[in-house]
C-alpha cells in the first residue's frame, strides 16, 4: 500500500504561481514513478506531468510545458509541481499518483497508475 496526500492548492489570479506538494508513505518511494493529473468540471481527467523513479526523466503535457515543473525528493518521499504563469484553463482538481517503476519511465497513461491521492483544488481567476 502507498498513501498519497496532496497539498498547496488554492485561489490565484491569472499569471500567478502555486506549488503543489504530494507526500507519500508506505512502501519504498523510489520504487515508483510519479505523475500529476487534473480534472475540471465536465471534463475528463487529463495528464499534466510525470517523473521517473530517480527524477532523471520527465514528461509534460503540451498545455503546461514551459510553465510547470515536476520534481521529487526521494529522501523526503515528496513530489512537487511548481506551476507558473497560471491560466484560467488550469483550474481543476489536481491529483498525484504513483506507478510501479517497471511499467515505464514518466508514464503519461492514467490507466497505468495504481495509487492516487485525494486531490487538491486549484482555481485561477481571470
Amino acid at each position: 500500500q502507498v498513501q498519497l496526500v496532496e497539498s498547496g492548492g488554492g485561489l490565484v489570479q491569472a499569471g500567478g504561481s502555486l506549488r503543489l506538494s504530494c507526500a507519500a508513505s508506505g512502501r519504498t518511494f523510489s520504487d515508483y514513478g510519479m505523475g500529476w493529473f487534473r480534472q475540471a468540471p465536465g471534463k475528463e481527467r487529463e495528464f499534466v506531468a510525470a517523473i521517473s523513479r530517480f527524477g532523471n526523466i520527465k514528461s509534460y503535457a503540451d498545455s503546461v510545458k514551459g510553465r510547470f515543473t515536476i520534481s521529487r525528493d526521494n529522501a523526503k518521499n515528496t513530489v512537487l509541481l511548481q506551476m507558473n504563469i497560471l491560466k484560467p484553463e488550469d483550474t481543476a482538481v489536481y491529483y498525484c499518483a504513483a506507478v510501479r517503476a517497471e511499467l515505464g519511465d514518466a508514464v503519461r497513461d492514467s490507466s497505468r497508475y495504481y495509487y492516487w491521492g485525494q486531490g487538491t483544488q486549484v482555481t485561477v481567476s481571470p
Side-chain angles (χ1 to χ4, degrees), residues 18-103:
L18 285 173
R19 183 169 64 182
L20 305 184
S21 178
C22 178
S25 62
R27 290 183 282 187
T28 304
F29 185 58
S30 61
D31 286 345
Y32 297 88
M34 299 296 297
W36 287 96
F37 297 82
R38 66 188 183 188
Q39 187 167 25
K43 297 180 63 178
E44 295 183 351
R45 179 178 56 191
E46 65 176 348
F47 168 77
V48 177
I51 187 167
S52 61
R53 61 187 301 189
F54 298 122
N56 56 309
I57 302 172
K58 301 176 182 179
S59 183
Y60 298 94
D62 289 343
S63 60
V64 307
K65 189 174 298 183
R67 299 188 298 119
F68 290 11
T69 302
I70 188 171
S71 61
R72 67 188 296 162
D73 185 340
N74 287 351
K76 297 182 178 180
N77 289 3
T78 301
V79 60
L80 303 175
L81 184 68
Q82 178 67 47
M83 305 186 296
N84 298 325
I85 320 176
L86 283 162
K87 304 175 180 179
E89 51 263 44
D90 295 319
T91 295
V93 176
Y94 283 70
Y95 300 90
C96 70
V99 58
R100 296 194 305 276
E102 60 265 29
L103 296 182

